[in-house]
Amino acid sequence: MKHIVLILLSFSMYIQAQNNTPLVTPPYLKKGDTIAILAPAGILKPYKKPAIDKAKKLAESWGLNVVYGKNLYSQDNHFAGTDEQRCQDFQEALDNPNIKAIWCGRGGYGSVRLLDKLNFDNFIKTPKWIIGYSDITAFHSHVHTLGIESLHAMMGTSMQDKAEDIPYTIESFKKALFGEKITYTIPSSSYNREGAVSGQLVGGNIAILASMLASESQISTVHKILFIEEVGEYKYSIDRMLQSFKRAGYFKNVKAVVVGGMTKIKKNSTPWGTSIEQLIVDAIPAEIPIVFNFPAGHDPDNRALIMGRFAELKITEKTSTITFKD
């Protein structure tokens, strides 16, 4: 009977996520809560340790307790330990009621290898924040289909930058984690398409979203605001993935597209011929509002985004504003 109830609860959350109804918000953090820093994907080499320790001190300065995953610094070729080791750390954090948030130390690649190995039953019953960006998009996408919000924000290795150089990254992360109201206003790009919409914010890294297509972890973009960002790809590769999204129906009923950092775009021997902005404009149907240069992604200025939360987006000639609803 217990197993049947969990199946029904999971199915209900899946329908909720697809129907654009409010998702479950994990409890906001408060002083005395414990968070776990884990490495579910790429290897954390020794030179990254000072940044992770700085991240721990940052969270402790906010009154939080911090624990490290047992396998945080394990190594298995490309990965931060074997799939089994990384899965063990993540599963223990999902199941431990004393851990209120899972803060990913870094991305890289490897999160998708854990999704089908993890049991989310306890997470569904007692949700907690899953935090990170880039490869962590795999988790954002998957837990969205479970009907639970997550946090696209800085990771432990973000503290390789000096705190004074990333004030908005840190400030927005703290606000999101502790439940303060979040609104951002940025200058508008000449490539923007104006509009005013509201809807749930979904998305993340383009390559990882593409890897979720045709799986049970694929998000629905129907009547939602899609956020995308990318790093280290060729323009033709980005176009190929956007064309895949189009063919998969991503842009059919989407409310708007928020374009974050398009960082370290590689140069191909055959020039693409247009800017990355024009490439995106050409790929997205003309009726869909677009805002460019939103400060989230792989650049140092990486503002926190609550994935699955309803937001209001206003794109005007001079400024663009996104406000998350309480």
Side-chain angles (χ1 to χ4, degrees), residues 182-324:
I182 297 177
T183 185
Y184 303 116
T185 298
I186 63 171
S188 286
S189 163
S190 61
Y191 287 96
N192 283 2
R193 292 186 193 147
E194 296 179 25
V197 302
S198 64
Q200 285 175 326
L201 184 72
V202 298
N205 179 263
I206 296 175
I208 303 304
L209 289 173
S211 74
M212 299 289 108
L213 291 175
S215 76
E216 63 181 26
S217 303
Q218 178 182 336
I219 57 173
S220 167
T221 59
V222 175
H223 304 312
K224 298 177 183 179
I225 299 170
L226 176 63
F227 165 74
I228 55 174
E229 62 86 22
E230 193 49 85
V231 63
E233 292 282 357
Y234 292 102
K235 288 179 181 178
Y236 72 81
S237 179
I238 293 173
D239 183 73
R240 178 172 57 208
M241 290 184 284
L242 292 178
Q243 297 301 328
S244 295
F245 290 166
K246 184 186 295 186
R247 299 188 71 225
Y250 256 47
F251 303 134
K252 189 173 182 180
N253 291 295
V254 74
K255 289 284 194 73
V257 176
V258 176
V259 182
M262 291 288 150
T263 309
K264 298 180 180 178
I265 302 300
K266 296 178 181 177
K267 291 185 178 180
N268 190 39
S269 56
T270 303
W272 179 261
T274 71
S275 66
I276 186 65
E277 290 88 354
Q278 190 61 52
L279 182 158
I280 294 170
V281 166
D282 291 342
I284 296 174
E287 69 275 10
I288 298 172
I290 308 174
V291 58
F292 283 92
N293 301 329
F294 188 86
H298 285 77
D299 293 322
D301 190 358
N302 181 18
R303 312 288 175 93
L305 298 170
I306 306 172
M307 309 310 288
R309 177 70 58 85
F310 276 89
E312 292 183 349
L313 175 64
K314 295 181 180 179
I315 309 168
T316 67
E317 182 180 359
K318 293 185 177 180
T319 61
S320 300
T321 300
I322 184 168
T323 302
F324 288 94

Side-chain angles (χ1 to χ4, degrees), residues 8 30 32 38 69 106 109 132 174 204 206 250 257 264 267:
L8 291 174
K30 59 184 185 300
L38 312 179
R106 68 156 295 190
Y109 168 70
K174 183 181 180 182
I206 296 175
Y250 256 47
V257 176
K264 298 180 180 178
K267 291 185 178 180

